Coordinates of all heavy atoms in Angstrom, one line a residue:
N90 N 30.7 -3.2 -9.8 CA 30.1 -2.2 -10.7 C 28.7 -1.7 -10.3 O 28.0 -1.1 -11.1 CB 30.1 -2.7 -12.2 CG 29.8 -4.1 -12.3 OD1 29.4 -4.7 -11.3 ND2 30.0 -4.7 -13.4
V91 N 28.3 -2.0 -9.1 CA 27.0 -1.5 -8.6 C 27.3 -0.2 -7.8 O 28.1 -0.2 -6.8 CB 26.3 -2.5 -7.7 CG1 25.0 -1.9 -7.1 CG2 26.0 -3.8 -8.4
E92 N 26.7 0.9 -8.2 CA 27.0 2.2 -7.5 C 26.2 2.3 -6.2 O 25.0 1.9 -6.2 CB 26.6 3.3 -8.5 CG 27.0 4.7 -7.9 CD 26.4 5.9 -8.8 OE1 25.8 5.6 -9.9 OE2 26.4 7.0 -8.3
L93 N 26.8 2.8 -5.2 CA 26.1 3.0 -3.9 C 25.8 4.5 -3.7 O 26.7 5.3 -3.8 CB 26.9 2.5 -2.7 CG 26.4 2.9 -1.3 CD1 25.1 2.1 -1.0 CD2 27.5 2.6 -0.3
V94 N 24.5 4.8 -3.5 CA 24.1 6.2 -3.2 C 23.4 6.2 -1.9 O 22.7 5.2 -1.5 CB 23.1 6.6 -4.3 CG1 22.6 8.0 -4.0 CG2 23.8 6.6 -5.7
T95 N 23.6 7.2 -1.1 CA 22.9 7.3 0.2 C 22.1 8.5 0.4 O 22.3 9.5 -0.3 CB 24.0 7.2 1.4 OG1 24.8 8.4 1.3 CG2 24.8 6.0 1.3
G96 N 21.1 8.4 1.3 CA 20.3 9.6 1.6 C 19.0 9.7 0.8 O 18.9 9.1 -0.3
S97 N 18.0 10.5 1.3 CA 16.8 10.5 0.5 C 16.9 11.3 -0.8 O 16.1 11.1 -1.7 CB 15.6 11.1 1.4 OG 16.1 12.1 2.2
D98 N 17.9 12.3 -0.9 CA 18.0 13.0 -2.2 C 18.5 12.0 -3.2 O 18.2 12.1 -4.4 CB 19.0 14.2 -2.0 CG 20.2 13.9 -1.1 OD1 20.0 12.9 -0.3 OD2 21.2 14.6 -1.2
G99 N 19.3 11.0 -2.8 CA 19.8 9.9 -3.7 C 18.7 9.1 -4.2 O 18.7 8.7 -5.4
L100 N 17.7 8.9 -3.4 CA 16.5 8.2 -3.8 C 15.8 8.9 -4.9 O 15.4 8.3 -5.9 CB 15.6 8.0 -2.6 CG 14.2 7.4 -2.8 CD1 14.3 5.9 -3.2 CD2 13.3 7.5 -1.5
L101 N 15.6 10.2 -4.7 CA 14.9 11.0 -5.7 C 15.6 11.0 -7.1 O 15.1 10.9 -8.1 CB 14.7 12.5 -5.2 CG 13.8 12.6 -4.0 CD1 13.6 14.0 -3.6 CD2 12.5 11.8 -4.1
Q102 N 17.0 11.2 -7.0 CA 17.8 11.2 -8.2 C 17.6 9.8 -8.9 O 17.5 9.8 -10.1 CB 19.3 11.3 -7.8 CG 19.9 12.6 -8.0 CD 21.2 12.6 -7.3 OE1 22.0 11.6 -7.4 NE2 21.6 13.7 -6.7
A103 N 17.7 8.7 -8.1 CA 17.6 7.4 -8.7 C 16.3 7.2 -9.5 O 16.3 6.6 -10.6 CB 17.8 6.3 -7.7
V104 N 15.2 7.6 -8.9 CA 13.9 7.3 -9.5 C 13.7 8.1 -10.8 O 13.0 7.7 -11.8 CB 12.6 7.5 -8.7 CG1 12.6 6.6 -7.5 CG2 12.5 9.0 -8.2
R105 N 14.4 9.3 -10.9 CA 14.3 10.2 -12.1 C 15.2 9.7 -13.2 O 15.1 10.2 -14.3 CB 14.7 11.6 -11.7 CG 13.7 12.3 -10.8 CD 14.2 13.7 -10.6 NE 13.4 14.4 -9.6 CZ 13.8 14.9 -8.5 NH1 15.1 14.9 -8.2 NH2 13.0 15.5 -7.7
S106 N 16.1 8.8 -12.9 CA 17.2 8.5 -13.8 C 16.7 7.8 -15.1 O 15.7 7.1 -15.1 CB 18.3 7.7 -13.2 OG 18.2 6.3 -13.4
E107 N 17.6 7.9 -16.1 CA 17.2 7.3 -17.4 C 17.3 5.7 -17.3 O 16.8 5.1 -18.2 CB 18.2 7.8 -18.5 CG 19.6 7.5 -18.1 CD 20.6 7.8 -19.1 OE1 20.3 8.4 -20.2 OE2 21.8 7.6 -18.9
H108 N 17.8 5.2 -16.2 CA 17.9 3.7 -16.1 C 16.6 3.2 -15.6 O 16.5 2.0 -15.3 CB 19.0 3.4 -15.1 CG 20.3 3.9 -15.4 ND1 20.9 3.7 -16.6 CD2 21.1 4.7 -14.6 CE1 22.1 4.4 -16.5 NE2 22.2 4.9 -15.4
V109 N 15.5 4.0 -15.5 CA 14.3 3.5 -14.9 C 13.1 3.8 -15.8 O 12.9 4.9 -16.2 CB 14.1 4.3 -13.5 CG1 12.7 3.9 -12.9 CG2 15.2 3.9 -12.5
D110 N 12.3 2.7 -16.0 CA 11.0 2.9 -16.7 C 9.8 2.9 -15.7 O 8.9 3.6 -15.8 CB 10.8 1.7 -17.7 CG 11.9 1.6 -18.8 OD1 12.3 2.7 -19.3 OD2 12.3 0.5 -19.1
V111 N 9.9 1.9 -14.8 CA 8.8 1.6 -13.9 C 9.4 1.7 -12.4 O 10.4 1.1 -12.2 CB 8.2 0.2 -14.1 CG1 6.9 0.1 -13.2 CG2 7.8 0.0 -15.5
V112 N 8.6 2.4 -11.6 CA 9.0 2.4 -10.2 C 8.0 1.6 -9.3 O 6.8 1.9 -9.4 CB 9.0 3.9 -9.7 CG1 9.2 4.0 -8.2 CG2 10.0 4.7 -10.4
L113 N 8.5 0.6 -8.7 CA 7.7 -0.2 -7.7 C 7.8 0.5 -6.4 O 8.8 0.5 -5.7 CB 8.1 -1.7 -7.6 CG 7.4 -2.5 -6.6 CD1 5.9 -2.5 -6.8 CD2 8.0 -3.9 -6.6
A114 N 6.7 1.2 -6.0 CA 6.7 2.0 -4.8 C 6.3 1.2 -3.6 O 5.2 1.1 -3.3 CB 5.8 3.2 -5.0
G115 N 7.4 0.6 -2.9 CA 7.1 -0.3 -1.8 C 7.7 0.2 -0.5 O 7.9 -0.6 0.4
I116 N 7.9 1.5 -0.4 CA 8.3 2.1 0.9 C 7.0 2.2 1.7 O 5.9 2.5 1.2 CB 8.9 3.5 0.6 CG1 10.3 3.3 0.0 CG2 9.1 4.3 1.9 CD1 11.0 4.6 -0.4
V117 N 7.2 2.1 3.0 CA 6.0 2.1 3.9 C 5.8 3.6 4.4 O 6.7 4.2 4.8 CB 6.1 1.1 5.1 CG1 7.3 1.3 5.9 CG2 4.8 1.1 5.9
G118 N 4.5 4.0 4.5 CA 4.1 5.2 5.1 C 4.4 6.5 4.2 O 4.8 6.3 3.1
S119 N 4.2 7.7 4.8 CA 4.3 8.9 4.0 C 5.7 9.2 3.7 O 6.0 10.1 2.9 CB 3.6 10.1 4.7 OG 4.2 10.2 6.0
A120 N 6.7 8.4 4.2 CA 8.1 8.5 3.7 C 8.2 8.1 2.3 O 9.2 8.5 1.6 CB 9.0 7.5 4.6
G121 N 7.2 7.5 1.7 CA 7.2 7.1 0.3 C 6.7 8.2 -0.7 O 6.8 8.1 -1.9
L122 N 6.2 9.3 -0.1 CA 5.4 10.3 -0.9 C 6.3 11.0 -1.9 O 6.0 11.0 -3.1 CB 4.8 11.3 0.1 CG 4.1 12.5 -0.5 CD1 3.0 12.1 -1.4 CD2 3.6 13.5 0.6
R123 N 7.4 11.6 -1.5 CA 8.2 12.4 -2.4 C 8.8 11.6 -3.6 O 8.9 12.1 -4.7 CB 9.4 13.0 -1.6 CG 8.9 14.2 -0.8 CD 10.1 15.0 -0.3 NE 9.8 16.0 0.7 CZ 9.4 17.2 0.4 NH1 9.3 17.6 -0.8 NH2 9.1 18.0 1.4

Side-chain angles (χ1 to χ4, degrees):
N90 37 12
V91 176
E92 186 189 351
L93 170 68
V94 176
T95 63
S97 42
D98 40 338
L100 172 68
L101 300 186
Q102 260 170 38
V104 297
R105 292 185 186 118
S106 97
E107 55 175 5
H108 305 307
V109 174
D110 301 318
V111 186
V112 173
L113 174 58
I116 291 174
V117 59
S119 58
L122 173 62
R123 283 189 190 275

